[in-house]
Amino acid sequence: MNTLLQKLQDAQNSQELEAFRIEGLGKKGIITQKFSELKSLEGEEKKNLAKELNEIKQKFEAIYWAKKSQFQINELKTALLEEKIDVSLFQSISHRSIGHPISYTKDRIIDYFMHLDYELCVGPLVEDDFHNFSALNLPDFHPARDMQDTFYFKDSMLLRTHTSPVQIRTMETQTPPIKMICPGATFRRDYDLTHTPMFHQVEGLVVDKGDKASFANLKYTLEDFLKYIFGNVKIRFRSSFFPFTEPSAEVDISCVFCQGNGCRICSHTGWLEVLGCGVVDEYVFEAVGYKNVSGYAFGMGIERLAMLTCGVNDLRSFFETDLRVLEQF
Ligand code: DAH
């Protein structure tokens, strides 16, 4: 632990600093793992270790943020010097404006569902606990709440962790049949190669009277949609769990990087997970006062689809607004 603190202290640049942060506090980091050992302890032993670990974590974070801001200032100074533009120079190459890969992917998703007559819905980014969690069958203290590291405000308000609350808001204000999608920003406390604290999702919801909206409809729609986005890939539905759907599934496509043969990106499985879906749980209908209806829902991360279609493996490059990167798409 002390060596790690020392390493962090000695980091020479942001890349090294980030690597050491992940070594300590990343999902599989040394400190994170030590925290998970707390589960198996009890009483004094647990209390002491927790205290010790929290102290280390605080020290670690203090060094990290101090070094990070120092590097950021230095890097900005160097960049300002190196990237100085002489605006008086004649520019012979003109640049066409291009769409950002995330907007482009979002527009393609919207296009597909607009052609199927889905309505485009929106909802607030600052949500209440009821719409983001309870109405979606995630009552207080439900362990599945941990799946979504939430930014909280006072009074049970929060930054929405997914676009699923818009399902609830739409059902509260409309009567079936409903066919809607909701693209928008979502927020979670997460930051690494494939996660940023702000990201985008598209939610889909179909509700109809009686038992008209079935899993078969859902499967057909998503298969056709994924062929539209990714071309000729294999698709599989893997049974999974979401509190708001039953049955639930995650959908995988054959790896677009190795054509399903197995590579580092697909963890040698040949498959990449691209979205979650399922048949709307009865508890959700109960929360909005719906009776005698059936429905299905799905949710996908726009960044994830954009990374896979653009062949990008560091999500952060989408947000750095460096035209040299963005112009390549
Ligand atoms: N809300 C889920 C998430 O953020 C994604 C999701 C899964 C949405 C299944 C759905 C669904 O509507 O049916 O991870």
Side-chain angles (χ1 to χ4, degrees):
M1 222 64 100
N2 282 335
T3 0
L4 189 60
L5 287 178
Q6 192 57 48
K7 275 207 260 178
L8 199 68
Q9 186 66 59
D10 295 341
Q12 295 296 313
N13 51 45
S14 311
Q15 285 82 4
E16 273 186 29
L17 188 71
E18 192 53 23
F20 296 143
R21 184 192 68 80
I22 293 171
E23 220 177 285
L25 282 178
K27 278 205 172 116
K28 293 186 186 143
I30 306 176
I31 304 177
T32 315
Q33 266 170 11
K34 281 265 171 228
F35 267 107
S36 67
E37 284 170 21
L38 284 176
K39 270 186 275 174
S40 55
L41 300 179
E42 276 175 11
E44 276 302 297
E45 211 181 346
K46 184 172 189 163
K47 214 164 112 189
N48 291 340
L49 183 64
K51 185 161 175 274
E52 190 188 328
L53 285 177
N54 276 319
E55 278 166 12
I56 292 175
K57 189 174 170 201
Q58 268 170 13
K59 252 194 225 160
F60 192 90
E61 284 179 336
I63 302 179
Y64 173 78
W65 286 110
K67 298 276 293 184
K68 191 171 166 90
S69 52
Q70 175 200 331
F71 286 141
Q72 273 173 341
I73 294 169
N74 290 346
E75 281 160 14
L76 184 65
K77 276 189 193 151
T78 326
L80 285 175
L81 284 176
E82 280 175 2
E83 294 170 13
K84 212 163 32 179
I85 296 171
D86 182 351
V87 286
S88 65
L89 272 182
F90 176 68
Q91 167 66 286
S92 60
I93 310 161
S94 72
H95 290 271
R96 258 190 337 135
S97 68
I98 46 150
H100 190 282
I102 294 176
S103 320
Y104 173 72
T105 310
K106 182 181 79 182
D107 290 346
R108 282 190 72 204
I109 301 172
I110 294 176
D111 258 3
Y112 176 88
F113 288 101
M114 290 289 109
H115 277 104
L116 293 181
D117 253 354
Y118 279 63
E119 184 194 351
L120 198 60
C121 292
V122 287
L125 305 186
V126 178
E127 260 301 359
D128 53 44
D129 188 278
F130 175 76
H131 290 91
N132 197 79
F133 289 128
S134 322
L136 289 160
N137 194 23
L138 276 144
D140 273 358
F141 309 116
H142 192 292
R145 284 194 180 205
D146 290 351
M147 282 155 61
Q148 311 191 347
D149 283 329
T150 312
F151 289 107
Y152 283 99
F153 299 108
K154 285 189 202 135
D155 311 325
S156 303
M157 297 302 281
L158 44 91
L159 283 176
R160 70 176 180 197
T161 55
H162 49 176
T163 40
S164 303
V166 185
Q167 285 188 25
I168 305 297
R169 292 192 175 273
T170 309
M171 289 192 277
E172 281 174 335
T173 51
Q174 298 192 18
T175 48
I178 290 174
K179 245 165 81 172
M180 74 87 174
I181 54 162
C182 165
T186 46
F187 306 84
R188 289 187 204 176
R189 299 182 35 167
D190 224 344
Y191 186 62
D192 59 27
L193 271 188
T194 52
H195 298 90
T196 44
M198 192 278 300
F199 58 104
H200 300 84
Q201 290 189 335
V202 176
E203 188 77 15
L205 172 73
V206 173
V207 184
D208 212 337
K209 293 181 190 128
D211 57 5
K212 279 199 215 155
S214 70
F215 195 89
N217 301 144
L218 167 70
K219 188 160 183 280
Y220 173 82
T221 309
L222 291 181
E223 279 176 353
D224 192 58
F225 164 72
L226 290 173
K227 295 250 180 260
Y228 161 81
I229 295 285
F230 291 105
N232 200 13
V233 286
K234 281 197 224 136
I235 296 164
R236 75 173 182 190
F237 282 65
R238 187 165 36 76
S239 105
S240 181
F241 170 77
F242 297 103
F244 30 89
T245 45
E246 179 59 36
S248 306
E250 279 174 297
V251 186
D252 300 335
I253 57 167
S254 50
C255 178
V256 288
F257 298 99
C258 63
Q259 278 69 46
N261 295 321
C263 66
R264 208 171 49 84
I265 297 173
C266 60
S267 309
H268 304 279
T269 60
W271 294 97
L272 296 167
E273 184 222 311
V274 285
L275 51 84
C277 64
V279 170
V280 180
D281 197 295
E282 271 305 314
Y283 283 112
V284 176
F285 287 142
E286 234 171 68
V288 293
Y290 275 13
K291 287 201 179 85
N292 302 325
V293 292
S294 54
Y296 53 82
F298 50 87
M300 61 191 95
I302 303 183
E303 279 79 0
R304 173 121 180 108
L305 297 197
M307 284 171 81
L308 296 178
T309 46
C310 297
V312 165
N313 57 12
D314 186 344
L315 174 56
R316 290 167 290 198
S317 61
F318 281 159
F319 291 111
E320 278 162 3
T321 60
D322 186 334
L323 282 183
R324 289 164 304 183
V325 175
L326 297 177
E327 274 172 353
Q328 293 172 41
F329 303 116

